[in-house]
Amino acid sequence: MTTARHGGDGPGTDRPAVRCAAAHALAGTRPVPYWLDDPEHRPEALPALTGDEECDLLVVGGGYSGLWTALIAKERDPRRDVVLVEAKEVGWAASGRNGGFCDSSLTHGFANGLARWPGEFTTLERLGQRNLDAIEHAVQRYGIDCDFERTGEIGVATQPHQVAELREAAEQAKRLGLDADGCDAGEENVTFLDRDAVRAEVDSPSFLAGLWFRRGVALLNPAKLAWGLKRACVEAGVRVYENTPARQLASDDATVGVRTPYGRVRARHVALGTNAFPSLLRRVRPYIVPVYDYALMTEPMSAEQRASLGWRNRQGLADSANHFHYFRLTGDDRILWGGYDVLYHYGSKIAAEYDQRPETFHKLAGHFFDTFPQLAGLRFSHAWGGVIDTCSRFSPFFGTAHGGRVSYAAGYTGLGVGATRFGAEVMLDLLSGEQTERTQLEFVRSKPVPFPPEPLRWAGIALTQWSLARADARGGRRNLWLRTLDSMGMGFDS
């Protein structure tokens, strides 16, 4: 996918043949996330909380952030009494419907991390790799069947200026000593691929170059990971209550109390993992905006279609545009194709009707066939969207409240599959008052720039989106607005 070809709706989607192919391919899609459409493996919901509970640690939120926090808390101290409450069912939101890219990056990628935390970047990369290793070990230790594959990811260039950017990133990785991290002797972790080399990995006429991070990304089934973590938590002794939204948080001299529709939990400590949804701490809300991301899933490919792509090493891929696409194979040779549109609704509104957006699905389908013309005739089985959180620095931030008895982590901006486990460790460190390598990082101690109130928030995001699309269409050249945001350490991404 390319920004020059896909700025705005993209010329590719304007061609009658592409429009027709996209409409045909979308006919009959199921309007639900593919990963969650799995009655064979989806566990039954656990009962809601009724009455009052007391515990050492209350975790609010049953996505990855909350699940990892509860599980690691029990790993650190099996005697700790832990309760987790989830407003609906574990994994129903972003944790169960994302692309399944489990990235070692804690900073939303190489470029963002190096630009924002140059002095800590090698440490953050090391901690990120260690975090991904720990996820892999946990999947093995708890027997979580989530199709975990340590395939790595290729960032692909689809415009000439992006080729130069990828080549420079490869050289930076080598200068920082990251090109061999985690790899066997003689193997590079970060490998620049020219046009022929990248098309030998995955064949598309759009691809001009690539940058392969061999050890930094695993692919997995996100819903099965969430369901597996839920099982591991329950087996470790965590009391999990589903369909139990947390309504209000308050504290006294001894405990922190959280009210739910039919009861209340009093705890010594509380960890908040609500991410895109309004935080129980009002002070956190200005740092987060909820945005909507969309994805398609194809039907399984035939042997001939699969062979036409190559893709023998099964890497995840993402293009290098501001409005980018991410795509990957599943275990049964489907292709997940997502991204590009990032939609914000005035007032930070979250609503179920935003989960389906036909105009975005048609746009994505057109881009798909523009990228892989050899797959003409392949149909999509599922089309869905949903809300994720983003912040102005594109990566998580952390903090405490109520005298250090409440901790939070938020702002993962689309890379939470892996980074939420690191965030769980930070939240538990903060609650314990322990000084660790993690809590001493500027990355952990600092906050992003908050978003302004409405209507400035909506206007600023709209102008930023327009400017990013314009930069994509003009060879990556950033206008005055984007350069101003850069100087302020602000941005908008997914």
Side-chain angles (χ1 to χ4, degrees), residues 5-204:
R5 298 170 67 192
H6 296 148
D9 287 348
T13 58
D14 291 336
R15 297 198 304 270
V18 173
R19 290 201 306 270
C20 182
H24 175 75
L26 290 166
T29 55
R30 288 179 57 77
V32 293
Y34 167 77
W35 311 111
L36 296 172
D37 191 18
D38 186 359
E40 179 182 354
H41 297 99
R42 186 168 188 160
E44 291 187 8
L46 294 171
L49 172 69
T50 57
D52 291 350
E53 285 272 20
E54 292 186 0
C55 60
D56 296 323
L57 173 66
L58 170 62
V59 179
V60 179
Y64 296 140
S65 190
L67 291 165
W68 281 119
T69 303
L71 184 59
I72 295 170
K74 294 294 281 188
E75 290 175 343
R76 291 186 179 186
D77 182 0
R79 297 170 299 175
R80 183 181 294 178
D81 187 17
V82 181
V83 169
L84 183 150
V85 295
E86 162 54 42
K88 294 188 178 180
E89 292 185 28
V90 161
W92 75 274
S95 294
R97 53 167 161 70
N98 61 80
F101 286 68
C102 189
D103 201 310
S104 67
S105 177
L106 306 174
T107 61
H108 206 268
F110 183 92
N112 189 55
L114 191 57
R116 294 181 185 275
W117 297 281
E120 294 182 343
F121 183 69
T122 55
T123 299
L124 289 167
E125 286 291 291
R126 174 176 54 81
L127 292 174
Q129 287 288 344
R130 189 170 77 186
N131 182 66
L132 181 55
D133 291 341
I135 292 172
E136 183 172 12
H137 295 155
V139 166
Q140 296 168 353
R141 183 168 66 255
Y142 292 107
I144 299 174
D145 179 15
C146 62
D147 304 328
F148 189 98
E149 300 179 87
R150 196 79 175 257
T151 59
E153 180 181 21
I154 300 176
V156 295
T158 53
Q159 284 191 11
H161 77 276
Q162 295 167 2
V163 177
E165 291 169 358
L166 293 185
R167 195 184 298 276
E168 172 59 22
E171 293 172 354
Q172 284 181 321
K174 186 173 183 178
R175 289 195 296 269
L176 292 169
L178 305 176
D179 58 326
D181 280 3
C183 289
D184 297 331
E187 183 183 39
E188 290 183 327
N189 178 37
V190 184
T191 305
F192 178 80
L193 306 172
D194 63 18
R195 181 181 185 126
D196 290 341
V198 71
R199 293 190 62 174
E201 293 295 332
V202 184
D203 192 15
S204 167

Side-chain angles (χ1 to χ4, degrees), residues 10 17-18 36 54 72 93 123 130 135 152 253 292 296 313 355 389 410 433 436 446 455 478:
V18 173
L36 296 172
E54 292 186 0
I72 295 170
T123 299
R130 189 170 77 186
I135 292 172
D253 291 340
Y292 279 78
L296 302 173
N313 290 308
D355 291 352
D389 63 341
T436 68
S446 63
R478 298 172 74 81

Side-chain angles (χ1 to χ4, degrees), residues 294-317:
Y294 296 90
L296 302 173
M297 184 70 82
T298 73
E299 295 179 335
M301 290 180 285
S302 68
E304 293 76 17
Q305 289 170 325
R306 181 71 173 77
S308 74
L309 296 174
W311 218 339
R312 291 176 297 278
N313 290 308
R314 300 182 59 81
Q315 309 95 328
L317 286 92

Side-chain angles (χ1 to χ4, degrees), residues 151-287:
T151 59
E153 180 181 21
I154 300 176
V156 295
T158 53
Q159 284 191 11
H161 77 276
Q162 295 167 2
V163 177
E165 291 169 358
L166 293 185
R167 195 184 298 276
E168 172 59 22
E171 293 172 354
Q172 284 181 321
K174 186 173 183 178
R175 289 195 296 269
L176 292 169
L178 305 176
D179 58 326
D181 280 3
C183 289
D184 297 331
E187 183 183 39
E188 290 183 327
N189 178 37
V190 184
T191 305
F192 178 80
L193 306 172
D194 63 18
R195 181 181 185 126
D196 290 341
V198 71
R199 293 190 62 174
E201 293 295 332
V202 184
D203 192 15
S204 167
S206 296
F207 298 167
L208 305 180
L211 191 60
W212 185 0
F213 291 85
R214 292 176 182 268
R215 292 287 299 165
V217 175
L219 299 181
L220 50 78
N221 180 314
K224 285 186 175 181
L225 175 61
W227 297 335
L229 289 173
K230 171 185 171 180
R231 174 180 55 79
C233 284
V234 171
E235 291 176 352
V238 178
R239 285 173 283 152
V240 177
Y241 295 99
E242 296 180 279
N243 295 303
T244 304
R247 300 294 196 200
Q248 186 179 23
L249 183 151
S251 63
D252 57 28
D253 291 340
T255 62
V256 181
V258 173
R259 292 192 176 277
T260 71
Y262 306 108
R264 182 177 65 172
V265 183
R266 300 184 69 84
R268 291 178 57 244
H269 294 116
V270 175
L272 301 178
T274 50
N275 295 306
F277 298 95
S279 176
L280 293 176
L281 298 171
R282 289 189 175 274
R283 71 180 71 174
V284 177
R285 296 181 187 179
Y287 295 107

